[in-house]
Amino acid sequence: MTRYILPIIAAALCVGQLVSSTVTKAAEPAKVLVVNTQDASVSLVNLKTMKEEKRYPVGSRPYGIAVTQEGSTVAVGVEDEEGVKFFSLPDFKLKGKVPIGKMFNDHLVLTPDGKRMLLANFYSDDVVIIDPVAMKEVGRIEGCSAPHVVKYGPLKKNAYVTCKKITGIAIIDPADGQLVKFHQLNVNPRSLTFAPDESKVYFGSFWVNGFFQMETETGKVTQLFSFDPPADNAGDQEVTYHGVEAVMPNVVLAANEGRSYVDAVDVKTGKLLDRLTSVNKPCCVERIPGADAQPVRVLVSNIGDGTLQLVEVEADGKMKDVGRATVGKAPKRVAFVPDTTH
């Protein structure tokens, strides 16, 4: 009997190793695209070398960006052309364009199933649903007031939208094409990140030297995480915390664009764990997809010096600057390119 069992076990182990290896490699992108909002281009950056490999012209005032799951197409919101343009990868040739109308810092995200893209369109008060294969608009979700950021929570069912006219956060169900809830706020939310179970959402705002915690069910703001700025840069200013990104269940990174540092905060204890000052007007913070092993790696878009910075975050929240790529002027949104070599 043993002679039958052992080959089965060996085969199962091989399959398990193959699946594990494939999943891990597929989850770790080798390259990233970053939108250079003030020089009409998109940069391709190698995440291993942290070098810019190519810079592609896309049109004036690009902002939102998303890559399809199989990595064959990238969509870029080109706002002075009032549309989303599609380019083939890796040759970056124009494939088509979806007309949107007037645009302003409209975020773009791929749905978890990869079948649609969502565009938060500031001027129409809609979240536009786009078919990336057909390259056409297929629907709109109404009820968002001047939407800006659109981002899925960790549970990958609902998307969350920051709203700028009637200030607040909208929760939408893209599969049903419906607005689920709208939580009106007294502040103007900037960027979004979440607790692992989506019970809480975190966001920064203008003029406030801190970032907020809100209950997603009730819309109640329950905490402001605020920490003393440097003594030589403590004056009131409009632009403070911008990008926020949860990197561990209890740790959120918050980029203070105006004062040029990134804070690591334990949102359970309210303690400031570390402050990284080697950044230069950091705007966006984006965790690199991959295994949950420490250290966690994130990318910081520095609009002050036109660089994309790689930062490692240890389990205790300590941050380490491990490299940066010089890209175009005012880099902001990024989209990871799947490694199709595996």
Side-chain angles (χ1 to χ4, degrees):
M1 185 172 181
T2 303
R3 64 193 179 102
Y4 295 110
I5 293 175
L6 288 177
I8 293 171
I9 293 174
L13 287 172
C14 288
V15 171
Q17 289 169 356
L18 177 61
V19 171
S20 175
S21 173
T22 302
V23 170
T24 300
K25 289 179 180 178
E28 297 174 352
K31 298 181 181 182
V32 66
L33 294 162
V34 57
V35 173
N36 303 310
T37 60
Q38 292 182 21
D39 72 3
S41 69
V42 169
S43 291
L44 177 68
V45 174
N46 187 310
L47 290 172
K48 294 180 180 179
T49 63
M50 284 309 292
K51 300 290 184 184
E52 181 189 53
E53 293 188 347
K54 297 275 184 71
R55 191 178 301 179
Y56 303 100
V58 294
S60 179
R61 213 161 55 89
Y63 196 89
I65 186 168
V67 174
T68 55
Q69 282 185 340
E70 80 290 348
S72 65
T73 306
V74 57
V76 183
V78 181
E79 303 200 344
D80 279 353
E81 297 183 22
E82 298 188 350
V84 175
K85 296 170 76 172
F86 289 82
F87 301 89
S88 59
L89 293 175
D91 56 4
F92 224 91
K93 293 189 176 181
L94 182 65
K95 296 175 66 176
K97 176 181 174 182
V98 176
I100 299 297
K102 198 172 181 182
M103 302 171 72
F104 179 69
N105 295 347
D106 293 352
H107 280 230
L108 185 66
V109 67
L110 186 70
T111 58
D113 62 8
K115 295 180 180 179
R116 297 288 186 264
M117 290 180 178
L118 307 177
L119 179 82
N121 186 225
F122 181 91
Y123 283 107
S124 71
D125 294 338
D126 299 326
V127 174
V128 182
I129 305 172
I130 297 170
D131 182 334
V133 175
M135 291 180 290
K136 67 178 184 180
E137 177 184 325
V138 293
R140 293 191 176 223
I141 300 173
E142 301 177 349
C144 301
S145 180
H148 170 48
V149 175
V150 56
K151 187 174 183 178
Y152 274 90
L155 303 182
K156 303 299 182 185
K157 181 181 186 295
N158 291 330
Y160 295 73
V161 185
T162 62
C163 299
K164 300 297 189 178
K165 281 191 293 194
I166 301 174
T167 55
I169 294 175
I171 304 173
I172 61 174
D173 184 342
D176 290 341
Q178 297 291 327
L179 174 71
V180 178
K181 288 183 181 179
F182 178 79
H183 297 307
Q184 188 169 350
L185 300 170
N186 293 323
V187 295
N188 192 336
R190 311 186 75 196
S191 191
L192 292 171
T193 197
F194 309 89
D197 62 357
E198 285 185 31
S199 62
K200 300 176 181 65
V201 62
Y202 303 92
F203 59 90
S205 189
F206 296 94
W207 292 107
V208 180
N209 197 56
F211 66 96
F212 297 90
Q213 173 182 283
M214 185 195 83
E215 294 178 349
T216 54
E217 180 63 29
T218 65
K220 182 179 180 181
V221 175
T222 53
Q223 193 163 353
L224 169 65
F225 300 95
S226 180
F227 307 98
D228 292 335
D232 61 351
N233 189 14
D236 293 337
Q237 56 183 271
E238 179 181 8
V239 177
T240 53
Y241 287 98
H242 192 167
V244 290
E245 182 79 338
V247 294
M248 287 168 239
N250 63 314
V251 178
V252 168
L253 302 189
N256 196 312
E257 180 183 327
R259 304 185 195 279
S260 286
Y261 55 76
V262 175
D263 283 345
V265 179
D266 187 325
V267 292
K268 289 185 178 179
T269 65
K271 181 181 178 182
L272 177 64
L273 302 175
D274 197 17
R275 175 168 287 173
L276 184 71
T277 58
S278 62
V279 294
N280 192 328
K281 294 193 177 301
C283 170
C284 307
V285 181
E286 191 83 24
R287 179 174 178 165
I288 298 175
D292 293 330
Q294 302 297 332
V296 173
R297 300 193 306 158
V298 301
L299 293 174
V300 178
S301 301
N302 290 311
I303 62 175
D305 62 3
T307 62
L308 188 65
Q309 186 170 349
L310 179 62
V311 175
E312 292 182 347
V313 189
E314 299 289 349
D316 60 0
K318 298 299 181 184
M319 293 175 285
K320 181 181 179 182
D321 180 355
V322 293
R324 68 187 68 204
T326 297
V327 291
K329 190 175 181 181
K332 292 189 179 180
R333 308 306 311 163
V334 303
F336 296 99
V337 181
D339 188 352
T340 57
T341 62
H342 301 295

